[in-house]
Each structure stands twice: as structure tokens, then as C-alpha cells.
């Protein structure tokens, strides 16, 4: 008993699928292989270990600019520290910073770690209004219980119950 269908039409369909499936799999595999260098991973300072973010690999580093850490050089170089309140990373950036860049605010810097584990940024992105923080940074800070925006409501346990009078 043969595993091929008896109908000539069904056999033709099976051969078409048998030829197209590997070709499609190879095309997807080659596309993913070609894009691997264009993927930029995001890390907070406490997650940016030498294993996850090796020196020389382009990554994004996000967190809060530590108060009192910004130092500007005469040649346009800016050095500051990015923290997630668990770890801190020294960032070196050559160029003009965004207008909204300031201490205590959330930023995302794209660049690469140097062998000494300082971060050489090629691009710095700052928040665009008073309530914005990059989603990845906010999620990680919230997960650690370190960040809560001013407009965020109190936890449900602190809200009055339905029968309780509101004063």
C-alpha cells in the first residue's frame, strides 16, 4: 500500500507542497540570518552584564540620569551616569544632547559598551513631555518598585470600598 494519494490531482498538490515548503523555509531562514545584525537589544544598567551585552555590540541602555553626574567637556563630550536604582553605568556621548535631557529624567542611549564597561553612546533619546518615559524603562522600574509617575492612581488596596463614605 502506497503512502501517495491515488488521485493524480492530489499527487500533484502533494508534490507542489513538497517543493514549495523547503524553498519557503530557506527564504525565511536567510531573511532572519540577514537581519540579525540589525536587531538592537534594550537593557537597563542592572541587566547589562558582560554576557548579555558584550563589549562592541550595539545595544540600547535605558534608565534615569543620576543627579549630579552630568559633566560637559570643552570638545562637546558629555559624560553622565544612567541608573535603574539597582546599578549604574557611566555613559560617554559626543555631540548635542536633546533639549529635554536633564538629571533625574528617563533616557535611552544607543551605542556599545567599551572593554572597561563604560558605555559609548552614538545617540541619546530623551523624554518628550512631562509624563513620558520610554516604555521599557518604565516597565523595568515599575517591576522593581522604583518608579511611579505623579499621575498614577494609588493601588487598589488603598482605594475606599464601595460602602465607605468619601471625605
Amino acid at each position: 500500500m502506497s503512502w501517495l494519494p491515488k488521485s493524480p490531482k492530489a499527487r500533484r498538490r502533494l508534490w507542489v507542497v513538497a517543493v514549495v515548503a523547503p524553498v519557503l523555509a530557506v527564504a525565511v531562514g536567510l531573511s532572519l540570518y540577514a537581519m540579525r545584525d540589525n536587531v538592537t537589544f534594550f537593557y537597563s544598567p542592572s541587566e547589562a552584564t558582560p554576557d548579555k551585552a558584550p563589549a562592541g555590540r550595539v545595544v540600547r541602555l535605558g534608565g534615569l540620569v543620576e543627579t549630579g553626574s552630568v559633566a560637559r567637556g570643552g570638545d562637546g563630550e558629555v559624560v553622565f551616569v544612567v541608573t535603574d536604582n539597582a546599578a549604574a553605568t557611566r555613559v560617554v556621548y559626543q555631540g548635542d544632547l536633546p533639549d529635554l535631557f536633564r538629571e533625574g529624567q528617563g533616557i535611552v542611549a544607543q551605542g556599545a559598551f567599551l572593554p572597561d564597561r563604560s558605555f559609548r553612546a552614538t545617540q541619546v533619546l530623551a523624554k518628550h513631555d512631562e509624563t513620558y518615559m520610554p516604555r521599557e524603562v518604565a516597565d523595568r522600574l515599575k517591576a522593581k518598585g522604583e518608579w511611579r509617575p505623579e499621575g498614577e492612581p494609588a493601588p487598589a488596596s488603598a482605594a475606599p470600598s464601595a460602602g465607605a463614605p468619601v471625605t
Side-chain angles (χ1 to χ4, degrees):
M1 189 174 216
S2 176
W3 57 274
L4 290 173
K6 294 183 183 195
S7 164
K9 194 174 188 180
R11 283 185 190 192
R12 193 170 29 247
R13 284 186 196 149
L14 181 63
W15 282 112
V16 168
V17 169
V19 169
V20 170
V23 171
L24 185 61
V26 168
V28 169
L30 288 174
S31 297
L32 292 174
Y33 180 77
M35 289 188 296
R36 81 181 196 286
D37 291 335
N38 294 330
V39 174
T40 305
F41 292 99
F42 176 87
Y43 297 103
S44 65
S46 60
E47 295 172 337
T49 63
D51 294 337
K52 291 183 181 178
R57 182 169 157 203
V58 176
V59 296
R60 288 188 176 165
L61 178 71
L64 302 172
V65 178
E66 197 170 86
T67 305
S69 69
V70 178
R72 299 176 190 270
D75 59 348
E77 185 173 87
V78 181
V79 178
F80 56 93
V81 176
V82 173
T83 183
D84 61 359
N85 294 329
T89 301
R90 180 178 174 263
V91 178
V92 179
Y93 178 67
Q94 180 77 34
D96 295 328
L97 289 168
D99 292 336
L100 296 174
F101 177 90
R102 65 180 75 79
E103 296 175 352
Q105 299 296 321
I107 64 113
V108 173
Q110 183 168 322
F113 281 96
L114 300 174
D116 67 354
R117 296 310 292 167
S118 64
F119 189 79
R120 169 64 72 173
T122 57
Q123 182 180 26
V124 175
L125 307 170
K127 66 182 207 145
H128 62 66
D129 68 15
E130 286 73 28
T131 59
Y132 175 78
M133 178 176 287
R135 187 187 66 210
E136 296 93 348
V137 174
D139 290 346
R140 296 214 169 103
L141 290 174
K142 284 179 184 179
K144 294 178 182 186
E146 299 290 339
W147 179 75
R148 180 167 300 170
E150 294 175 27
E152 187 173 293
S157 60
S161 62
V166 178
T167 56

